[in-house]
Amino acid sequence: MARSLDAIGDWWSLLIIRDAFDGMRRFGEFQKSLGVAKGILTTRLRNLVALEILRLAPASDGSAYQEYLLTEKGRALFHVVVSLRQWGEQYLYAPGEARSLLVDNESGRPVERLELRSSDGRVLGWTDTTVRKSPSSSPKRRGPAATKRSRREASEN
């Protein structure tokens, strides 16, 4: 999780990604939407391009401008953006406060809340899951403390 937050966890980067999902492509569009200083926006856009979340492309209207487009890696953040949006709607708005609505383009109905499901379809909560090391992980430290911890972890699982 720390690597993910290091890559996209700052305020401006997530808002840029959100705006890209909303169809914004040009520097000026991002700046107008976010009200961010040009230097900050330039730095965040360069970082998102370097991380291959966005890519630069010639402007679709044939002008000399360039556009920022979501890559496959960037589009894979859709669930993250929707999840943050839904969490904020549930916990950070006052009752009756105006907000935007995410709708299904085909039906026109509001999108249901995201859910984490097991392989057999059960809805999972935080008490239903455990983080474990993958089989390909290797311990970073060797020695008595690491061995003791590994035995304790194994006995708990």
Side-chain angles (χ1 to χ4, degrees):
M1 190 166 151
R3 290 181 192 196
S4 300
L5 287 173
D6 189 41
I8 59 152
D10 73 270
W11 168 277
W12 295 117
S13 294
L14 282 169
L15 292 177
I16 291 166
I17 293 165
R18 175 207 61 191
D19 282 356
F21 278 117
D22 288 342
M24 293 181 198
R25 295 178 173 196
R26 292 196 178 171
F27 186 95
E29 292 174 323
F30 290 117
Q31 188 178 26
K32 184 178 179 183
S33 170
L34 301 172
V36 62
K38 288 181 180 182
I40 292 172
L41 182 56
T42 299
T43 300
R44 295 312 186 278
L45 286 169
R46 279 187 191 148
N47 185 51
L48 292 170
V49 169
L51 290 167
E52 299 178 346
I53 292 169
L54 295 175
R55 69 177 176 86
L56 279 169
S60 56
D61 64 5
S63 67
Y65 293 103
Q66 289 191 310
E67 296 179 340
Y68 293 90
L69 304 175
L70 287 163
T71 62
E72 181 179 342
K73 187 177 183 180
R75 290 186 301 273
L77 289 166
F78 181 68
H79 290 89
V80 173
V81 173
V82 171
S83 180
L84 284 169
R85 173 193 182 92
Q86 289 180 343
W87 179 85
E89 288 171 346
Q90 182 172 354
Y91 295 107
L92 304 177
Y93 280 80
E97 184 178 353
R99 63 185 85 166
S100 59
L101 187 63
L102 184 64
V103 296
D104 177 339
N105 287 336
E106 187 175 315
S107 70
R109 287 181 282 200
V111 172
E112 295 290 325
R113 288 198 55 79
L114 290 177
E115 296 178 327
L116 181 63
R117 294 187 174 268
S118 67
S119 59
D120 64 6
R122 291 177 294 116
V123 175
L124 299 174
W126 69 274
T127 59
D128 301 314
T129 64
T130 304
V131 176
R132 295 186 182 159
K133 291 183 180 178
S134 66
S136 62
S137 306
S138 60
K140 292 182 181 178
R141 292 185 292 161
R142 297 279 182 198
T147 305
K148 183 188 243 182
R149 188 173 51 251
S150 295
R151 282 192 211 126
R152 186 180 68 243
E153 289 170 355
S155 69
E156 291 172 353
N157 295 327

